[in-house]
């Protein structure tokens, strides 16, 4: 499977993560609230030197915050990959379906339709994936009690564990990627799909962890969400066009989910 569309879908879809996960990572913002660890707060400019000294002072003061954010996101992406491996493994266990060309073609169409659904979801043009979140809420109610001992997230170990649990929060965007992971028919490929998706969301969540609520507010603007939704939607439509044409265009091989439909 070509992971480029998945990676970009994760990057564009991180505008949704800003609303769902942004609150946690913003707790360790360099300009965050007083509830954040003391070592993560901004040092007043008057106390800082100039040039390289100022940069080193700033970096040292916020190294703890960055460590917490990295640990949290490592746990989150790890949980995505575990879920992807489970989903892909379940599908892969049905060996007879995996060998059927017709089933593979149907899976290809469905995977691209999920990209279309995700694009519409990000644009708030269609909320069908939100209904899927209600089903995921059943699992989350069982996981949620384990979150309480991890708050406040004041150590890297707690951040790692909380990220691992947060990856199971009901999210239509994650569920659409999980279906794509399942359609790979392989535990390894399923884990790779979810890993690529998680890495796509990483830059934005890292930036929010260090820049705080201002970036979060910007990402929630409708114009930004529509632009990101259109990007993901475009990948899905391109994949559907490739399937309909029989995959005769080399450009499609680069930008679509699979090399061969």
């Amino acid at each position: 499977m070509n992971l480029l569309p998945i990676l970009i879908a994760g990057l564009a879809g991180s505008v949704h993560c800003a609303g769902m996960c942004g609150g946690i990572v913003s707790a360790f913002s360099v300009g965050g609230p007083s509830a954040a660890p003391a070592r993560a707060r901004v040092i007043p400019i008057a106390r800082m030197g100039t040039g390289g000294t100022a940069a080193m002072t700033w970096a040292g003061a916020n190294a703890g915050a960055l460590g917490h954010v990295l640990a949290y996101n490592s746990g989150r992406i790890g949980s995505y990959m575990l879920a992807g491996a489970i989903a892909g493994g379940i599908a892969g266990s049905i060996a007879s379906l995996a060998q059927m060309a017709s089933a593979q073609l149907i899976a290809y169409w469905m995977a691209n339709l999920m990209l279309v659904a995700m694009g519409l979801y990000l644009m708030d043009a269609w909320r069908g994936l939100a209904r899927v979140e209600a089903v995921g809420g059943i699992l989350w109610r069982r996981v949620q009690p384990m979150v309480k001992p991890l708050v406040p997230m004041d150590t890297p170990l707690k951040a790692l564990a909380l990220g691992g649990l947060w990856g199971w929060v009901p999210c239509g965007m994650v569920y659409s990627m999980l279906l794509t992971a399942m359609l790979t028919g392989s535990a390894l490929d399923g884990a790779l799909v979810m890993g690529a998706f998680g890495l796509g969301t990483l830059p934005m969540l890292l930036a929010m962890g260090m820049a705080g609520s201002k970036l979060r507010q910007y990402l929630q603007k409708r114009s930004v969400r529509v632009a990101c939704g259109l990007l993901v939607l475009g990948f899905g439509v391109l994949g559907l066009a490739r399937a309909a044409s029989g995959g005769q265009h080399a450009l499609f091989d680069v930008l679509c989910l699979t090399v061969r439909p």
Side-chain angles (χ1 to χ4, degrees), residues 1-250:
M1 176 167 284
N2 179 15
L3 297 178
L4 178 62
I6 302 295
L7 188 70
I8 295 180
L11 181 61
S14 55
V15 297
H16 177 70
C17 300
M20 179 166 285
C21 303
I24 281 192
V25 294
S26 291
F28 295 93
S29 166
V30 296
S34 58
R39 61 179 176 275
R41 298 176 195 161
V42 173
I43 295 176
I45 297 297
R47 291 196 211 163
M48 299 170 65
T50 59
T53 302
M56 288 188 290
T57 305
W58 184 90
N62 296 285
L66 179 59
H68 285 70
V69 172
L70 284 172
Y72 165 79
N73 282 285
S74 295
R76 180 179 61 86
I77 295 174
S79 67
Y80 287 170
M81 294 183 70
L82 175 61
I86 293 172
I90 290 174
S93 65
I94 310 175
S96 59
L97 287 181
Q99 300 302 318
M100 292 172 56
S102 59
Q104 292 175 351
L105 183 59
I106 291 172
Y108 179 78
W109 276 84
M110 289 183 63
N112 283 288
L113 283 172
M114 291 311 299
L115 285 179
V116 171
M118 185 192 298
L120 295 174
Y121 179 67
L122 290 173
M123 297 163 60
D124 288 326
W126 181 69
R127 301 293 297 172
L129 290 180
R131 299 172 186 172
V132 183
E133 293 177 357
V135 178
I138 299 174
L139 173 62
W140 176 242
R141 281 194 290 272
R142 296 180 179 275
V143 175
Q144 195 172 15
M146 293 186 282
V147 171
K148 190 174 181 180
L150 302 175
V151 179
M153 193 170 65
D154 50 7
T155 68
L157 187 59
K158 279 187 177 182
L160 180 66
L162 187 58
L165 292 176
W166 205 258
W168 301 94
V169 168
C171 174
M173 190 175 68
V174 173
Y175 292 159
S176 67
M177 283 293 102
L178 269 178
L179 179 57
T180 301
M182 178 179 286
L183 295 173
T184 65
S186 161
L188 176 60
D189 288 342
L192 289 175
V193 164
M194 294 307 294
F197 170 73
L199 288 175
T201 65
L202 184 60
M204 202 68 75
L205 287 179
L206 282 179
M208 273 193 295
M210 302 309 294
S213 59
K214 289 185 178 180
L215 178 59
R216 185 183 177 191
Q217 292 171 1
Y218 173 77
L219 293 176
Q220 291 301 292
K221 290 184 177 180
R222 176 161 178 77
S223 58
V224 175
R225 292 182 63 92
V226 168
C228 291
L230 285 172
L231 178 61
V232 178
L233 178 66
F235 275 105
V237 171
L238 192 61
L240 294 175
R242 180 182 186 276
S245 67
Q248 300 299 317
H249 302 285

